[in-house]
Amino acid sequence: MASKNDILKFIEQNDVKFVRLQFTDILGRLKNIAITERQVERALEEGIIFDASAIAGFSEVESSDMLLLPDINTFTIIPWRPQHGKVARFICDIKNYDGTQFIGDPRYVLKKSVEKAEKLGYTFNVGPECEFFLFHTDSEGRPTAKTHDYASYCDLAPMDLGENCRREICMVLEEMGFEIEALHHENAAGQHEIDFKYSDVLTAADRIMTFRMVVKTIAQRNGLHATFMPKPIFNAFGSGMHINMSLSKEGKNLFNAGNGSMDISDVAKMFGAGILNHINGITAVANPLVNSYKRFVPGFEAPVHIAWSHMNRSPLLRVPAPKGEATRLELRSPDSSCNPYLTLALVLEAGLDGLQKEMQIPLPVDINTYSLTAEKEKELGIQRLPSNLLLAIEEMKKDPYIKEVLGEHIYSKYIAAKEAEWAAYNNYVHQWEIDNYLTAF
Ligand code: ADP
Ligand code: MG
Ligand code: MG
Ligand code: MG
Ligand code: MG
């Protein structure tokens, strides 16, 4: 862990000229304000004032001045910026002008949940798998929805045209302190995945935001457009953000059943039960866009049903082949358009709720759930995930724990924003309607 003085010295000795103060709005978009190196000392001591009234879900015009307070652990050079007069960044916490905590800061929501876990002696470890598409840009540099290659899962060049861009993304991420575990072409044409090593949940959420910024920027520098939109192409695989997770105490993985067992521990089962119990209400946050729900269709490795399984890749919650200390649960519904701070806070607290109430996990569903008929679903008592944003918002309102975790401020602003988004979509006349109704009626 660096100290303020270490950072100030580093800035002076390494010709850092600008420092970006980054934060995330409630809708999960990265924002920043740049300051010059002369302001950094003041920023670290008092914070930097910014006008929060224009940031989605933050504040009203009457109380718009807020403070950005850099988290010194997040300091890093931005590698693609000039080497003379370098640019660095901090991820910031947000305070009210009087220095008190601003309750609308998503990072604060996650920090609160982490504190709750820490009081119980738990560390929540998270390894996300972020999928994305690379698309062509047009002659004016604007994004298109044309994929830049026709390759599929784990294909190589020359089929895989994203190789160079993906490699450059990984090099930059490593320079920024990421430990990359794997990178590969994904199922759909133009679709990719880069996995980085798991970490404590706050670090993981910060890294997800950094990852999105790096992927988009490096793609642009390669003349491509990167998107984390969940389902950009109808009838092709969508992009998810699987969340691999485990809970540890005193360095020991509590999900490990021990003795070389192929099962997961009771702690893992109760934690998983908590997630299954609250997933309906979490979904509007983990899958925030109208488009997110177009991913929840059978046949594309995205979940449709609320079920868990060993190995099987159709259910919501999967247990990857348990291997001692690497034992983990994988939540397969979230996508990369979500706010990672809010999503991970909800997932963590759902798991803790399961532990506290000693919830029983239902029987695993080790069949391909895509083939379930409505009758079979009923017989097995298997529910479906909400199938559109409106239904997900309704589920969010039904589960009081969601509001408890997010706090009244974020909860109400979030719902208002998503209801407006649904209404805008719902009132629009789509191409599908023209194609199907214009001549038929
Ligand atoms: P998949 O088999 O679903 O494609 P990947 O191999 O792509 O999974 O990703 C696995 C992710 O799980 C990586 O981010 C890895 O660091 C993470 N991971 C491994 N062990 C643990 C653990 N004990 N707790 C949390 N995450 C873990
Ligand atoms: Mg993977
Ligand atoms: Mg893998
Ligand atoms: Mg994948
Ligand atoms: Mg996965």
Side-chain angles (χ1 to χ4, degrees):
M1 196 187 277
S3 72
K4 276 182 201 175
N5 281 336
D6 293 339
I7 284 175
L8 293 173
K9 209 188 275 164
F10 181 94
I11 287 175
E12 198 189 312
Q13 289 172 350
N14 289 275
D15 187 23
V16 174
K17 184 70 192 145
F18 296 100
V19 178
R20 294 188 192 172
L21 306 182
Q22 301 181 331
F23 58 98
T24 301
D25 70 12
I26 71 165
L27 300 179
R29 289 174 305 208
L30 189 66
K31 302 277 169 180
N32 80 181
I33 286 172
I35 57 175
T36 57
E37 97 282 3
R38 284 190 305 277
Q39 307 297 318
V40 174
E41 190 167 0
R42 188 166 61 88
L44 291 172
E45 264 147 34
E46 306 161 17
I48 293 287
I49 300 174
F50 78 113
D51 175 4
S53 63
I55 307 289
F58 269 18
S59 162
E60 315 302 339
V61 191
E62 308 88 68
S63 55
S64 62
D65 282 343
M66 297 217 178
L67 292 171
L68 288 176
L69 216 73
D71 178 339
I72 57 171
N73 297 318
T74 63
F75 180 80
T76 166
I77 294 289
I78 295 187
W80 59 84
R81 301 296 296 153
Q83 290 310 296
H84 297 292
K86 290 193 182 77
V87 180
R89 74 87 194 258
F90 290 106
I91 292 178
C92 297
D93 292 314
I94 304 168
K95 307 280 172 183
N96 293 312
Y97 189 56
D98 63 5
T100 56
Q101 179 60 50
F102 171 51
I103 50 165
D105 176 8
R107 199 167 186 261
Y108 165 68
V109 171
L110 181 56
K111 280 183 152 184
K112 249 189 349 182
S113 304
V114 167
E115 227 170 78
K116 209 160 155 183
E118 274 171 356
K119 278 205 186 113
L120 299 163
Y122 298 141
T123 305
F124 187 43
N125 300 306
V126 168
E129 298 169 61
C130 303
E131 294 172 334
F132 58 92
F133 277 84
L134 292 176
F135 286 124
H136 280 300
T137 48
D138 67 17
S139 57
E140 277 155 50
R142 281 185 302 239
T144 72
K146 286 197 199 93
T147 58
H148 70 113
D149 71 17
Y150 297 96
S152 184
Y153 188 63
C154 293
D155 276 340
L156 328 176
M159 297 259 277
D160 170 9
L161 298 176
E163 222 174 36
N164 285 338
C165 180
R166 220 167 47 219
R167 178 172 169 276
E168 198 181 328
I169 291 168
C170 290
M171 308 271 274
V172 167
L173 289 170
E174 285 193 331
E175 272 182 73
M176 295 179 85
F178 283 62
E179 191 177 320
I180 304 297
E181 288 192 331
L183 47 156
H184 59 84
H185 200 286
E186 260 301 344
N187 286 299
Q191 193 187 28
H192 304 272
E193 177 175 313
I194 298 173
D195 300 319
F196 50 90
K197 189 174 170 37
Y198 70 93
S199 62
D200 70 276
V201 63
L202 183 66
T203 305
D206 286 341
R207 285 193 180 146
I208 290 168
M209 292 311 297
T210 303
F211 181 88
R212 292 177 190 171
M213 165 178 81
V214 170
V215 168
K216 284 185 162 282
T217 308
I218 302 305
Q220 192 183 43
R221 291 167 71 94
N222 281 270
L224 298 167
H225 177 71
T227 184
F228 292 94
M229 180 179 175
K231 187 86 174 184
I233 304 170
F234 171 64
N235 234 349
F237 283 81
S239 294
M241 187 184 81
H242 297 169
I243 296 175
N244 293 272
M245 57 197 153
S246 61
L247 209 57
S248 58
K249 198 170 195 170
E250 287 156 7
K252 276 212 144 32
N253 183 348
L254 298 178
F255 285 4
N256 181 8
N259 301 327
S261 163
M262 284 303 284
D263 203 4
I264 48 172
S265 68
D266 289 340
V267 169
K269 285 180 184 162
M270 288 186 276
F271 197 90
I275 292 172
L276 294 177
N277 195 269
H278 290 295
I279 193 66
N280 267 327
I282 295 174
T283 299
V285 176
N287 304 91
L289 305 184
V290 165
N291 184 256
S292 297
Y293 296 82
K294 315 240 157 137
R295 190 179 140 244
F296 291 161
V297 293
F300 297 103
E301 287 192 10
V304 179
H305 297 90
I306 302 177
W308 75 287
S309 165
H310 297 273
M311 304 309 292
N312 189 342
R313 280 176 195 254
S314 62
L316 177 76
L317 197 62
R318 183 174 76 100
V319 183
K323 290 179 239 75
E325 284 303 295
T327 305
R328 59 185 196 260
L329 294 176
E330 179 191 40
L331 180 65
R332 300 171 60 80
S333 61
D335 68 55
S336 275
S337 61
C338 75
N339 181 318
Y341 300 100
L342 301 182
T343 302
L344 290 168
L346 288 168
V347 169
L348 169 56
E349 295 222 25
L352 293 179
D353 195 37
L355 281 180
Q356 203 215 337
K357 298 189 177 133
E358 301 190 350
M359 287 183 194
Q360 282 269 350
I361 199 161
L363 287 174
V365 179
D366 289 324
I367 48 170
N368 179 353
T369 55
Y370 294 153
S371 57
L372 286 179
T373 59
E375 291 98 72
K376 196 78 186 154
E377 276 173 27
K378 238 194 191 144
E379 189 190 313
L380 296 172
I382 299 175
Q383 276 190 312
R384 285 178 172 240
L385 282 169
S387 60
N388 68 41
L389 182 59
L390 182 67
L391 293 172
I393 298 165
E394 296 308 319
E395 291 295 335
M396 185 174 173
K397 289 179 183 168
K398 276 191 219 157
D399 186 348
Y401 126 98
I402 306 286
K403 186 164 160 184
E404 224 173 90
V405 175
L406 298 182
E408 166 63 34
H409 178 102
I410 290 186
Y411 177 81
S412 54
K413 300 249 177 205
Y414 190 87
I415 287 186
K418 290 295 149 186
E419 283 181 338
E421 188 171 332
W422 175 262
Y425 166 75
N426 202 39
N427 295 337
Y428 190 79
V429 177
H430 299 266
Q431 190 59 43
W432 185 92
E433 294 166 272
I434 303 293
D435 294 345
N436 285 276
Y437 302 147
L438 195 65
T439 53
F441 297 94

